Amino acid sequence: MDMRTSYLGMTLSHPFIAGASPFGYHLDTIKRLEDAGCAAIVLHSLFEEQITHAQSGHIAHMDVFERGFNETLSAFPAPEDYPLGPDGYAEHVRRAKQTVAIPVIASLNGRTPESWLKFARVIEQAGADALELNMYDVPADLSVPGSAIEDRLVSVVTHVKRLLKIPVAVKLSPFFTAFGNVAEQLDAAGADGLVLFNRFYQPDIDIRTMAVTPQAELSTSADLTLRLRWAAILHGRIRSSIAITGGVATPDDGIKALLAGADVVQMVSALLRHGPSHVASMRQGLERWMAWHDMSRVDEIRGLVSLRATEDRSSFERAHYIRTLHSWIG
Ligand SMILES: Cc1cc2nc3c(=O)[nH]c(=O)nc-3n(C[C@H](O)[C@H](O)[C@H](O)COP(=O)(O)O)c2cc1C
């Protein structure tokens, strides 16, 4: 069977790749992902906060995020042990490239235009095969309109694309008024891929202590449907590749992601739960399903249930919502 897929202009042996996570911290876990059969790996992000706090060793964003995952991450080294700052990260990319033959995609979460450009360049020079820009941000400033946020995203992508030769993917949040238009703007700005969607921690409130508590849980298949919808709406209508990240737990989820129109499927929670060997189960599940449907190429599947392909266009749009609500009343 021909399981090959094209992502960001690279040919991958199959569509299942490891998303940005603590698996990227160390060369031995990176190697484990390759040995288990991942087609590519996205490294954990270099966060700008990390850079500015490199001196003190304290990283606000990561710190909160990781405390919520205490149990899951107990097998991973302490945060102080990962490469802090752009030089350490660049060296890590260089070593990762020497350690594995699969493509290594670096990840960057900047805040200021200067940092995006400066660190993007450092990462490219370190030899990353591609760069994933993590555009995660919570615009809590009430005076900033959505259009300004969108302009900023597009401007970052335009500038990074002008500067770099390696492909650039953009990992996004779904929280836009008109996500399809944002996707189109980023596509026009030259993004080689869109990664749908960021799934970060949500602060909760402890009513006993009346304090904010980080609430971070690994995803389940329930997280997938939002991604399926947008991959299905975008498939075949933008030039950028589409990656789904969030809620891909089982082989069935992986098949759904491809049917909706994803070029690759990123996994993190499932790999943390079941270990890297889960990738092999994903691939086998897909192969079995393809054999059952008498298909021999992954390309035949992609987008078969996208908005473009489906006759029932309303199934991805609002009309279906009314039907769904009625289905509760019987
Ligand atoms: C422990 C942990 C660490 C993560 N670190 C990063 C990161 O450094 N950069 C990033 O872009 N996403 C990070 N993510 C988000 C994942 O890449 C992924 O988008 C998210 O977990 C949804 O995918 P999943 O449902 O397969 O877990 C992290 C997720 C987890 C659980």
Side-chain angles (χ1 to χ4, degrees):
M1 273 187 192
D2 186 353
M3 305 298 281
R4 281 175 305 172
T5 195
S6 167
Y7 180 55
L8 309 177
M10 303 181 283
T11 301
L12 306 184
S13 55
H14 61 81
F16 300 114
I17 75 175
S21 82
F23 280 112
Y25 295 160
H26 279 272
L27 299 178
D28 54 343
T29 43
I30 293 173
K31 183 77 182 110
R32 271 180 65 207
L33 290 172
E34 178 178 55
D35 292 344
C38 286
I41 174 173
V42 186
L43 295 180
H44 58 288
S45 306
L46 172 64
F47 287 91
E48 188 173 345
E49 286 98 327
Q50 202 165 343
I51 299 156
T52 41
H53 292 87
Q55 299 301 331
S56 65
H58 175 79
I59 314 150
H61 180 101
M62 293 285 279
D63 209 31
V64 177
F65 187 34
E66 305 244 326
R67 261 189 293 136
F69 283 111
N70 261 349
E71 213 173 297
T72 316
L73 300 184
S74 55
F76 289 90
E80 303 80 77
D81 295 344
Y82 5 111
L84 283 173
D87 296 337
Y89 191 87
E91 185 51 32
H92 188 60
V93 171
R94 219 167 273 130
R95 292 207 184 132
K97 279 297 297 168
Q98 286 162 4
T99 306
V100 290
I102 52 174
V104 173
I105 302 169
S107 168
L108 174 61
N109 184 322
R111 295 201 80 80
T112 56
E114 305 75 52
S115 74
W116 283 110
L117 295 177
K118 186 166 154 205
F119 303 127
R121 168 92 94 184
V122 168
I123 286 170
E124 178 177 66
Q125 284 169 349
D129 293 291
L131 177 63
E132 189 174 282
L133 301 176
N134 184 330
M135 296 291 204
Y136 180 77
D137 199 9
V138 178
D141 183 341
L142 304 192
S143 67
V144 181
S147 54
I149 310 266
E150 290 173 17
D151 289 350
R152 192 178 146 254
L153 294 185
V154 172
S155 153
V156 167
V157 172
T158 306
H159 285 99
V160 171
K161 274 299 294 176
R162 252 183 231 149
L163 190 71
L164 298 196
K165 291 193 185 68
I166 57 173
V168 174
V170 187
K171 187 170 181 177
L172 292 156
S173 129
F175 304 119
F176 291 93
T177 313
F179 178 73
N181 178 259
V182 172
E184 195 175 68
Q185 288 189 63
L186 292 170
D187 184 37
D192 298 283
L194 301 184
V195 184
L196 317 178
F197 288 112
N198 257 313
R199 182 183 177 275
F200 271 57
Y201 85 95
Q202 305 286 348
D204 198 0
I205 294 177
D206 182 333
I207 59 167
R208 196 175 45 86
T209 58
M210 291 190 274
V212 178
T213 51
Q215 199 217 14
E217 280 167 13
L218 295 179
S219 71
T220 67
S221 301
D223 291 83
L224 183 62
T225 46
L226 174 72
R227 280 90 183 159
L228 292 181
R229 170 182 290 218
W230 280 106
I233 291 174
L234 295 178
H235 174 77
R237 299 165 79 195
I238 55 171
R239 187 199 43 85
S240 318
S241 313
I242 298 174
I244 282 187
T245 175
V248 178
T250 64
D252 288 6
D253 295 334
I255 296 164
K256 289 180 196 179
L258 296 169
L259 285 170
D263 295 290
V264 295
V265 177
Q266 298 191 1
M267 288 185 295
V268 170
S269 294
L271 301 184
L272 287 169
R273 272 203 189 98
H274 309 296
S277 64
H278 191 62
V279 173
S281 317
M282 298 292 296
R283 189 180 166 159
Q284 284 156 12
L286 173 60
E287 282 173 354
R288 267 198 298 273
W289 183 88
M290 285 170 61
W292 176 256
H293 287 277
D294 214 9
M295 291 172 170
S296 57
R297 288 181 306 113
V298 162
D299 287 345
E300 288 174 67
I301 308 171
R302 189 165 300 105
L304 277 184
V305 193
S306 61
L307 182 66
R308 262 192 148 185
T310 178
E311 281 175 15
D312 181 11
R313 287 180 68 90
S314 66
S315 55
F316 289 109
E317 296 168 353
R318 188 179 154 78
H320 209 63
Y321 181 49
I322 297 161
R323 251 185 280 158
T324 311
L325 290 183
H326 283 183
S327 70
W328 283 99
I329 315 168

